[in-house]
Amino acid sequence: MIPYFAIIFLSLSSHIVSVLRNSRVWYIVYLFILGTFLCCGYMCGSDWRQYELMYNNINFNNIFYGYYAEPGFLFYMLIPRFFNVDFWVFSILTKIIQFIIFANIINRYAPEYKYFVWMFLLPKSGFYMFIDYPMRNMIAITIFLLSIKYIIGKDVKRYIICAAIAMMFHYSAIVTIPFYFILNKNISTNIYLLWFVLIFTIFSSSYLFESILIKISGLSPYILKQVEFYVLGDTIDGDGSIISVGMFLQIFFFVCLLKFRKVIEITKYGHIIFNGALIYILLYRLGLTISIFSRFQLYLVVFYVIGVVSLVRAFTASSKPLVISIICLLSCYICCSDIKRNGWKYVPYTNYVKYLMTDDLKSYRYRDNYNLLNTPYKESINK
């Protein structure tokens, strides 16, 4: 767990120490350290197992046989595979490109608080996105982030093309289509409150949602079972929990964002940051009942974090250190909570560069079992 906290505190220190915060050289060093940590994870994470097997076995003859993945991703793998590029080189280079895109977005939308944004983003979703690494979903997310400029420039054709390309890597990218018509709009506080009350009420329980769905649509029991499997899911993300620390925090930030919306909206790209943050919270609530929405919210997590961090501007100079300390403690709490829940995926942390430099790269079987056998969080394995 220590490496993860070290990265969080490195981000915090880079923000609060003015010499570091204002140094361009240090920013490059920081991104190198952070990128090496996030992009070169080796035996940690979980999704790499299926992607490595898929990558090593795919070819032009079997591309559409036996692989459950979107066509764009299959063709994306074929190109380096054709030239016999090692899976880990392919995976790490993909992550590096995505990391650079994330860094550019954060630097563009929150240059004053870029280190602070990383500090909060990492435990919120960053460790999941780069260490556990849902590759297809991440490619779709980065394509969406690149397409934000078309929302700003009001270029609907190019934005839809980007959304279509993203969907070829992960079907969840369909949610980005309505974002074009929402993110850069001036939506009233009352509308957001209405949305929140409706979503909080209707989706307060998966059982209530099922009952409403049956009455409205008259679904047969068979079709309902399919809806439960594909939409409601069978994981803890779909239990519809109302009372939880996570939900309490989202309600708190929802209220704060609405109260101090002008602080965010007067900044450059303010509407996109503000709307992205609030829609993230709405999707978060939906994700507690309908599991697929937990993937949708990842597209907006960067804007949510930037929105929350931007609230610091609403406080006086004497109050800002306290607010920063609270967000730092919250980051540590989220990190502890996530590692406790999914510990085997993150601990122990191993890095590909170390094994490459010592010429000690491990076999698939060794790597597959390494974290399962060596993690101190055994209770998290079957969760």
Side-chain angles (χ1 to χ4, degrees), residues 74-112:
L74 296 176
F75 281 107
Y76 176 67
M77 287 195 300
L78 269 178
I79 299 172
R81 188 71 186 95
F82 178 78
F83 293 100
N84 293 318
V85 176
D86 179 75
F87 168 77
W88 285 100
V89 174
F90 159 74
S91 177
I92 290 172
L93 287 178
T94 300
K95 276 201 274 189
I96 289 174
I97 294 170
Q98 294 165 340
F99 174 76
I100 292 172
I101 293 171
F102 269 73
N104 284 335
I105 290 292
I106 292 171
N107 193 46
R108 182 186 309 162
Y109 288 86
E112 183 183 356

Side-chain angles (χ1 to χ4, degrees), residues 141-160:
I141 291 169
T142 49
I143 292 172
F144 163 69
L145 292 177
L146 289 173
S147 71
I148 292 293
K149 61 184 178 183
Y150 299 126
I151 297 179
I152 298 170
K154 298 182 179 179
D155 191 339
V156 64
K157 290 183 179 179
R158 291 187 179 182
Y159 181 82
I160 295 299

Side-chain angles (χ1 to χ4, degrees), residues 208-219 224 227 232:
L208 176 60
F209 174 69
E210 288 180 48
S211 300
I212 294 174
L213 197 62
I214 293 172
K215 290 182 179 180
I216 292 177
S217 61
L219 291 178
L224 181 61
V227 172
L232 298 180

Side-chain angles (χ1 to χ4, degrees), residues 273-287:
I273 295 171
F274 175 74
N275 290 324
L278 287 184
I279 294 170
Y280 170 90
I281 295 174
L282 296 177
L283 291 174
Y284 177 92
R285 181 61 198 88
L286 287 170

